[in-house]
Amino acid sequence: MANYQLPSISNRFALLPQSFYTAVAPQPLGNTDWVLWNGLLAQQFGLPIDAPSGDLKKQLAGEMDHPDFSPLAMKYAGHQFGVYNPDLGDGRGLLLCELTNQQGNVFDLHLKGAGLTPYSRMGDGRAVLRSTIREYLCSEAMAGLGIATTRALGMLVSDTPVYREKQERGALLLRMAESHVRFGHFEHFFYTNQLTELKLLADKVIEWYWPDLASAEKPYAAMFEQVVDSTALMIAQWQAVGFCHGVMNTDNMSIMGQTFDYGPFAFLDDYDPNYICNHSDYQGRYAFNNQPRIALWNLSALGHALSAIVDKADIEQALEQFEVRLQQYYSQQMRAKLGLNNTREEDGEFFVTLFELLEKTQVDYTRFMRELSNLDNHTTANVIDLFVDRDSAKLWLDGYLIRASKEVDDKGTLITAKQRCEKMRQVNPKFILRNYLAQLVIDKAEEGDFSEVKILATLLASPFAEHPEFEAYANLPPEWGKGMEISCSS
């Protein structure tokens, strides 16, 4: 593999003016070794299915120059917890190049944990093993769930010590994304009055990602509408599956509406709409039920940054569509999860009652939805037994079964319970990346045992399958593992 040639390399971002980035060479870690290699994803880009060795491994790890890479650290800004910070940029990650997959789509190849950059501020430019495992697993879990996300191509661990609250092992993540352009890129150029650069960035976003918009009457307004729509879909998917991002700063928001920068994330265990997963979020700004509101806030910040090239009326019109589209997407998601595709007048109250019951009795969200999907094989007791208030649960479930029995297909034929449940199992996962599971596999990995993280990665790639031999990974969390708060430290 020493002479393996990476196909279809480009460096579009590196061709932009230097006000967009700083060229930085990776600072290699010592004695790196693969922990995970995403062979199925790699194949889409003409890369080997097995973890590469030799020169290619060294080039991907930043240990050897690749003649066609142009590593750079992007410059951007952003609102962090609602406060504007101009001093942001890639502080520990480098865009190496862009690769084209077999469908002709271009993806960034990004190396996270590559060392100091001009934007590292007080940091060391490194990533540690635990946070790298979490990002790898969660980005691939989201892909398995069908939620727009960055992807993980591979991760490496090293002998290089990295100091956080304690000494940890340095690690690297190879991240793939259709774009690393963030809301904060536009904010940087707007607030520094670099309006020529802002317009150029908008032109490139349209050219690279949405070329059809170039022929629109107002291309920049159409671009903003696209960002609003993509973000609404992403947030609807988060809320439907019970995902908490934890740190929705504008510099962590992808222009493509893809889940980006996994830090203190979590999936809901017991249903608590007020759940805060970020240990540093003292005000609950990024609580689970606040995510739609914060997404709109962030889009408003992006709209303000685009006001130099988009009319105010067009910005306001696009923002007004956010909640409309969010509700449409969320309704579609939840109806699919409950197997209720036909709309009925009483459905609004039906959904309200359900979520009030889940919150009141703190039922595990994922387990409830999965058990509801298994009613063709299991008895109603499997659902009712999840609730402390069994009478209320039985009352709701009886109403649900009557409601579900009225479902018809496109030809007006009644849908059987088996047909309904089979479809529901395709959207209600059995396996999610619970924080307690992540912690267990991290503990093993820090002892040098990577077997558990590899098993979990495989399960999360196909979370709707039964995998009976790995039933334990679908278990409810122990008390210590419920509602864990995660630090931003990585």
Side-chain angles (χ1 to χ4, degrees):
M1 201 172 291
N3 297 318
Y4 189 91
Q5 296 296 311
L6 281 168
S8 304
I9 293 178
S10 57
N11 294 283
R12 299 181 305 186
F13 204 88
L15 298 177
L16 295 175
Q18 297 219 341
S19 54
F20 284 74
Y21 62 86
T22 301
V24 181
Q27 299 167 10
L29 294 170
N31 195 24
T32 58
D33 195 14
W34 292 108
V35 174
L36 293 163
W37 174 255
N38 195 337
L40 294 179
L41 179 62
Q43 281 189 303
Q44 296 178 26
F45 295 90
L47 291 163
I49 191 169
D50 296 320
S53 58
D55 289 354
L56 180 57
K57 180 255 186 181
K58 293 177 182 177
Q59 290 162 348
L60 293 174
E63 299 166 14
M64 174 186 290
D65 290 340
H66 189 289
D68 296 323
F69 286 179
S70 294
L72 60 87
M74 292 180 169
K75 171 60 187 166
Y76 45 84
H79 280 84
Q80 299 187 311
F81 290 88
V83 178
Y84 183 69
N85 186 344
D87 299 321
L88 302 178
D90 288 335
R92 59 192 175 113
L94 298 176
L95 175 60
L96 300 180
C97 68
E98 293 114 19
L99 299 177
T100 303
N101 66 14
Q102 293 167 346
Q103 290 72 45
N105 301 316
V106 180
F107 280 69
D108 292 347
L109 177 62
H110 189 269
L111 183 63
K112 195 166 184 178
L116 288 169
T117 80
Y119 317 117
S120 298
R121 294 184 288 166
M122 300 299 291
D124 57 12
R126 295 303 186 192
V128 296
L129 180 61
R130 60 183 163 85
S131 64
T132 308
I133 287 175
R134 282 175 57 82
E135 178 159 357
Y136 186 103
L137 290 178
C138 199
S139 57
E140 290 309 297
M142 296 294 265
L145 291 167
I147 297 175
T149 180
T150 59
R151 301 293 304 275
L153 177 62
M155 69 165 290
L156 302 105
V157 67
S158 79
D159 289 341
T160 302
V162 175
Y163 298 91
R164 296 295 183 259
E165 289 85 357
K166 60 180 182 179
Q167 179 176 311
E168 303 185 54
R169 297 177 72 181
L172 294 165
L173 178 77
L174 279 164
R175 181 167 68 189
M176 307 290 294
E178 288 181 81
S179 175
H180 277 78
V181 175
R182 311 154 187 260
F183 289 13
H185 279 88
F186 288 97
E187 290 186 290
H188 164 62
F189 289 127
F190 177 77
Y191 286 106
T192 54
N193 201 35
Q194 298 182 72
L195 302 186
T196 300
E197 288 78 1
L198 185 147
K199 182 178 180 297
L200 175 60
L201 180 60
D203 289 336
K204 290 301 178 182
V205 164
I206 292 171
E207 175 189 339
W208 294 343
Y209 312 128
W210 302 303
D212 291 347
L213 301 184
S215 58
E217 181 181 352
K218 298 178 179 179
Y220 303 136
M223 178 193 75
F224 184 55
E225 290 176 10
Q226 179 65 56
V227 177
V228 169
D229 184 73
S230 300
T231 303
L233 174 59
M234 178 186 72
I235 298 299
Q237 293 174 319
W238 289 5
Q239 301 304 114
V241 81
F243 175 74
C244 310
H245 185 277
V247 59
M248 288 176 63
N249 298 330
T250 58
D251 56 295
N252 291 336
M253 297 291 290
S254 163
I255 205 73
M256 299 289 288
Q258 297 177 344
T259 316
F260 194 46
D261 278 358
Y262 293 90
F265 64 81
F267 287 85
L268 291 180
D269 294 314
D270 294 346
Y271 185 76
D272 176 9
N274 299 304
Y275 175 50
I276 303 166
C277 66
N278 184 348
H279 179 72
S280 303
D281 187 4
Y282 306 113
Q283 304 299 319
R285 178 181 177 85
Y286 300 139
F288 174 70
N289 62 350
N290 268 353
Q291 290 183 145
R293 181 179 67 83
I294 293 300
L296 179 56
W297 194 99
N298 289 342
L299 286 165
S300 299
L302 174 61
H304 182 62
L306 291 172
S307 62
I309 57 174
V310 181
D311 292 341
K312 180 180 178 182
D314 292 328
I315 292 171
E316 291 176 348
Q317 183 178 4
L319 291 173
E320 287 172 0
Q321 287 299 305
F322 173 76
E323 291 189 10
V324 175
R325 296 183 185 185
L326 174 66
Q327 285 298 327
Q328 290 173 342
Y329 289 133
Y330 182 68
S331 176
Q332 292 168 3
Q333 296 278 321
M334 293 308 302
R335 286 182 177 280
K337 289 175 77 66
L338 291 174
L340 303 177
N341 298 317
N342 306 145
T343 303
R344 294 184 177 271
E345 187 175 343
E346 68 271 19
D347 285 352
E349 182 63 28
F350 180 79
F351 278 98
V352 168
T353 303
L354 169 61
F355 284 109
E356 287 178 347
L357 183 60
L358 292 175
E359 181 179 4
K360 174 186 173 184
T361 53
Q362 297 283 285
V363 172
D364 187 90
Y365 181 66
T366 300
R367 175 62 63 85
F368 168 77
M369 289 294 180
R370 186 69 178 188
E371 288 298 345
L372 208 62
S373 307
N374 285 327
L375 285 175
D376 58 334
N377 298 320
H378 300 165
T379 67
T380 56
N382 289 68
V383 175
I384 295 171
D385 287 347
L386 297 173
F387 294 80
V388 174
D389 186 349
R390 295 171 55 84
D391 291 339
S392 295
K394 185 178 185 304
L395 182 63
W396 182 88
L397 187 58
D398 288 344
Y400 166 76
L401 290 174
I402 293 172
R403 169 70 182 82
S405 69
K406 300 175 182 178
E407 285 293 301
V408 296
D409 62 20
D410 294 339
K411 297 179 180 179
T413 304
L414 283 174
I415 297 173
T416 67
K418 183 174 181 60
Q419 290 171 329
R420 181 183 74 249
C421 289
E422 285 178 348
K423 281 192 173 183
M424 290 170 65
R425 283 192 290 270
Q426 295 171 18
V427 295
N428 287 308
K430 180 176 181 177
F431 301 94
I432 58 169
L433 182 57
R434 298 183 185 272
N435 268 333
Y436 93 95
L437 285 176
Q439 191 56 54
L440 290 176
V441 302
I442 288 168
D443 290 344
K444 287 278 191 181
E446 289 181 335
E447 296 171 358
D449 180 356
F450 299 109
S451 59
E452 295 290 321
V453 72
K454 292 176 181 177
I455 291 172
L456 191 52
T458 300
L459 294 177
L460 295 172
S462 53
F464 306 108
E466 285 295 332
H467 299 292
E469 69 275 28
F470 295 113
E471 193 70 28
Y473 291 86
N475 286 347
L476 297 181
E479 282 302 316
W480 65 263
K482 286 186 177 182
M484 296 173 67
E485 291 185 355
I486 305 298
S487 167
C488 285
S489 172
S490 59

